[in-house]
Amino acid sequence: MNPGGLEFRKLTHLDWEDISSIYKEGLSTGIASFETGVPSWKQWDKAHDDQCRLVVELNGQIIAYSALRKVSSRPQFSGVAEMRIYVSAAYRGVGIGAKLLAQTIRISESLGYWTLQVSIFRENKVAIGLHTKVGFKEIGICEKIAKRGDEWHDIVFLERRSIVIGVD
């Protein structure tokens, strides 16, 4: 599949059906999130920065999305966010995730974010590799941090510091 012809645009409430479907696909892998169900639009909307949400369309079909979730409401952490990205199973492994991450990083920096963080299941080597490819660095591993179902999982914690917004 040639990922040319992709269109990036802001995610809106009208995209929720497609977004929740892609999220559900991710959940079905068992290593994309500790969540086991899809939230309502209202819950999802409240949890994510409304200025940095993107969808990727190919021929009018939404095939991926990204969003940022602020790590704290305290002003000292205003430039730190947790990265969220999901790519439809049919379009994984062809470079869409890297392009979406790069676009999200550009927008996040224009909004003043200096650090993006992500926690990824240790088993999810593809997601770890994708984030590393665009400049995220492994900070550490949290062992048996939480359960999904009856199984404990470790997460790899990665972060990306902006090279545009200096942190003195």
Side-chain angles (χ1 to χ4, degrees):
M1 204 236 44
N2 177 2
L6 299 175
E7 292 185 39
F8 297 82
R9 66 169 175 78
K10 188 172 180 175
L11 183 157
T12 73
H13 72 282
L14 298 174
D15 302 318
W16 182 241
E17 186 176 336
D18 292 326
I19 296 311
S20 61
S21 179
I22 292 170
Y23 183 64
K24 190 174 182 179
E25 267 185 359
L27 293 180
S28 72
T29 68
I31 58 169
S33 174
F34 283 105
E35 297 297 332
T36 56
V38 178
S40 68
W41 164 255
K42 187 176 180 179
Q43 293 167 317
W44 190 93
D45 182 46
K46 184 177 179 182
H48 295 87
D49 181 345
D50 64 354
Q51 295 182 67
C52 195
R53 305 172 176 183
L54 293 173
V55 295
V56 179
E57 286 186 331
L58 181 63
N59 300 323
Q61 176 188 357
I62 295 173
I63 60 170
Y65 74 94
S66 67
L68 297 185
R69 181 178 183 160
K70 294 182 180 193
V71 298
S72 176
S73 60
R74 294 172 26 195
Q76 299 88 334
F77 296 97
S78 64
V80 184
E82 184 179 345
M83 180 76 220
R84 304 285 174 92
I85 179 172
Y86 287 87
V87 178
S88 178
Y91 296 94
R92 293 180 193 149
V94 296
I96 292 168
K99 289 180 181 184
L100 178 55
L101 277 173
Q103 184 72 6
T104 305
I105 289 165
R106 279 192 294 278
I107 293 169
S108 74
E109 289 174 331
S110 75
L111 295 170
Y113 285 101
W114 60 80
T115 300
L116 298 181
Q117 303 174 340
V118 64
S119 301
I120 303 173
F121 280 65
R122 184 183 264 187
E123 302 93 332
N124 196 342
K125 303 291 186 200
V126 172
I128 293 168
L130 170 64
H131 285 80
T132 301
K133 181 179 180 178
V134 298
F136 282 76
K137 291 184 174 49
E138 184 177 321
I139 301 302
I141 295 173
C142 298
E143 295 179 350
K144 295 184 176 160
I145 190 73
K147 284 184 173 181
R148 189 168 196 278
D150 293 332
E151 187 176 347
W152 286 99
H153 289 275
D154 301 343
I155 59 156
V156 178
F157 188 74
L158 301 104
E159 74 174 12
R160 183 189 183 282
R161 293 294 187 118
S162 173
I163 57 174
V164 174
I165 301 170
V167 180
D168 301 327

